[in-house]
Amino acid sequence: MADAPLLMIPGPIEISEAVFQATCARPPSHVAPGFIQAFGDALDTMREVWCAGPDATPFCVAGGGTLAMESAATNLVDRGERVLVVNTGYFGDRMAEMLRRRGADVVQVTAAVADTVPAEAVADALDANTFAAVFATHVDTSTGVRVDAEGIAAAAKKRGVLSCFDGVCATAGERFEMAAWGADVYLTASQKAIGLPAGLALWVASAAAMEKAASLKSPPPMTLDWNTWLPIMQAYQARRPSYFSTPATTLVPALQVGLRELVPVGSEGAMQKRFLAHQRAAEAMRAGWTSLGLSLVPTAPSHAAYTLSAIRYPDGVDSSVLGHIKAAGAIVAGGLHPAIKPTYFRVGHMGDVVGRPNALVSTVRAVAEGLNVVGYRCDVEEACQATASALSD
Ligand code: PMP
């Protein structure tokens, strides 16, 4: 039987063998000693993956990235407060809508499609008014555009404004140093560069963000309220059982396995190496796309994300190529941003595959073969060679 095609969409992604094995265990109780230990270890390890300080609070709740976004929108902002949304696409629109529903006065600084918003523009917007918080999408999965999270966090901090970053398509794949940069919230979900199946909402909040959540006049819905979850997270970190709502008892131990793959015990600079591995993988994929005569959606390479490639269809090609790419061995995704949806496709390259050159080269091969099937003539071997040699440099 032929191998299953590689899952190369921008999440969910291919997971490692160790994480897969961890998800195959019989489901434990949420108060089993082994589970309590794994939950506590996972929360501790999240701090390392987030490059967060000891005063930051990690949260792990059953759910997805959207739940993590909504928890941030409702815990950082009171009704009637003004917030700034740095909008670089589909997920910026979602965050703005959530904040509106929270009753916030939402001001946006919006990039042209496929462009980024420079940190200086965020600083200018913050100077134009008073804000309770700024929200930005680290990598917008719809266009593959990255923002300068370090610069935005610094601009917010300088002005005493809380900063929150949606890292769903970035966390553990793009450089992010929560403590050093002074960011207040970095949120994600398990199914992307964290390297797990879908099902966990994950975020880390700074002491200032926790203070804000504790002082709200209008509390969030109970299941989103950080103050509901805080004693639970604290209990598991103290290796004690606790209960508010049943945790995802199969996924949490797998999370600990996955996070430890990212930062092995005693490893120095593991996250920096991980970020570099994603950069290298992205550059190698781009060498393949360039060899095929394809161009990226982001308007400049400097803000093209390392976790995925958003690629324009060449003339005469449309989304019908996706099925042929799959038949050739890789599942990739269509466009997502409503303004340009039919004009491009997306290839994820994050998590376990960044350490698997064969998977990356096979993906370039599948794209090239699919393009040839629909009549776009390109040299498959040359593209594979371009990616392979970039990976071996
Ligand atoms: N933000 C970004 C940047 C995302 O890529 C996604 C998922 N594609 C989400 C939020 C929402 O995550 P979920 O689908 O897990 O709710």
Side-chain angles (χ1 to χ4, degrees):
M1 202 180 86
D3 286 342
L6 289 162
L7 184 58
M8 299 299 286
I9 63 175
I13 61 166
E14 291 285 321
I15 59 174
S16 74
E17 185 57 28
V19 169
F20 173 65
Q21 291 302 332
T23 63
C24 297
R26 296 183 73 80
S29 150
H30 61 294
V31 294
F35 177 78
I36 295 168
Q37 184 69 37
F39 204 157
D41 288 353
L43 292 166
D44 289 346
T45 315
M46 275 176 70
R47 275 206 201 84
E48 295 177 51
V49 172
W50 266 243
C51 305
D55 61 340
T57 306
F59 290 84
C60 168
V61 173
T66 306
L67 183 141
M69 290 169 73
E70 191 118 58
S71 90
T74 52
N75 281 269
L76 284 182
V77 183
D78 233 328
R79 288 191 209 297
E81 284 187 322
R82 190 177 304 107
V83 295
L84 183 68
V85 171
V86 179
N87 191 333
T88 46
Y90 185 92
F91 291 100
D93 288 346
R94 178 175 292 187
M95 187 51 106
E97 176 59 17
M98 283 176 167
L99 287 159
R100 262 184 234 112
R101 290 181 185 210
R102 171 63 174 159
D105 173 8
V106 179
V107 176
Q108 301 199 56
V109 46
T110 303
V113 176
D115 206 350
T116 195
V117 177
E120 300 73 42
V122 177
D124 289 348
L126 289 174
D127 282 337
N129 222 322
T130 53
F131 291 96
V134 55
F135 291 79
T137 315
H138 193 183
V139 168
D140 194 287
T141 325
S142 68
T143 52
V145 165
R146 181 181 50 228
V147 296
D148 170 8
E150 180 176 9
I152 294 172
K157 185 138 194 99
K158 192 169 161 201
R159 291 158 180 84
V161 175
L162 294 171
S163 62
C164 172
F165 296 88
D166 169 354
V168 176
C169 198
T171 307
E174 299 278 352
R175 200 161 76 88
F176 194 91
E177 299 183 29
M178 189 160 173
W181 296 357
D184 290 296
V185 179
Y186 196 38
L187 65 89
T188 192
S190 49
Q191 74 272 21
K192 303 212 189 200
I194 293 286
L196 258 79
L200 295 175
L202 306 165
W203 66 91
V204 176
S206 71
M210 293 306 296
E211 263 171 48
K212 179 65 193 279
S215 72
L216 293 174
K217 291 195 232 14
S218 35
M222 204 166 163
T223 52
L224 296 175
D225 191 340
W226 295 354
N227 296 298
T228 315
W229 287 109
L230 181 61
I232 312 299
M233 300 303 139
Q234 287 172 332
Y236 279 111
Q237 282 175 92
R239 310 303 189 262
R240 280 190 282 105
S242 191
Y243 172 73
F244 163 60
S245 173
T246 309
T249 58
T250 291
L251 287 176
V252 170
L255 177 67
Q256 173 53 5
V257 171
L259 294 177
R260 269 289 161 240
E261 282 187 334
L262 303 182
V263 281
V265 176
S267 61
E268 275 292 305
M271 285 315 295
Q272 297 303 329
K273 285 187 200 137
R274 192 78 188 163
F275 301 144
L276 265 180
H278 280 78
Q279 178 174 348
R280 260 170 73 84
E283 285 167 357
M285 297 305 273
R286 269 154 218 175
W289 312 142
T290 304
S291 156
L292 292 171
L294 304 176
S295 60
L296 292 185
V297 168
T299 51
S302 53
H303 63 255
Y306 295 135
T307 47
L308 79 157
S309 296
I311 307 163
R312 292 186 190 284
Y313 292 123
D315 283 349
V317 175
D318 61 22
S319 62
S320 62
V321 71
L322 301 179
H324 298 292
I325 296 173
K326 179 178 174 190
I331 301 171
V332 300
L336 179 62
H337 195 295
I340 53 169
K341 194 175 162 79
T343 67
Y344 73 110
F345 66 107
R346 297 170 301 146
V347 179
H349 28 79
M350 58 187 128
D352 196 50
V353 293
V354 302
R356 290 167 52 193
N358 286 346
L360 298 175
V361 174
S362 298
T363 302
V364 171
R365 177 179 296 282
V367 169
E369 287 181 358
L371 286 168
N372 273 296
V373 173
V374 297
Y376 176 79
R377 294 285 158 246
C378 53
D379 190 327
V380 177
E381 296 311 324
E382 199 179 283
C384 292
Q385 193 47 49
T387 297
S389 54
L391 286 168
S392 61
D393 275 349

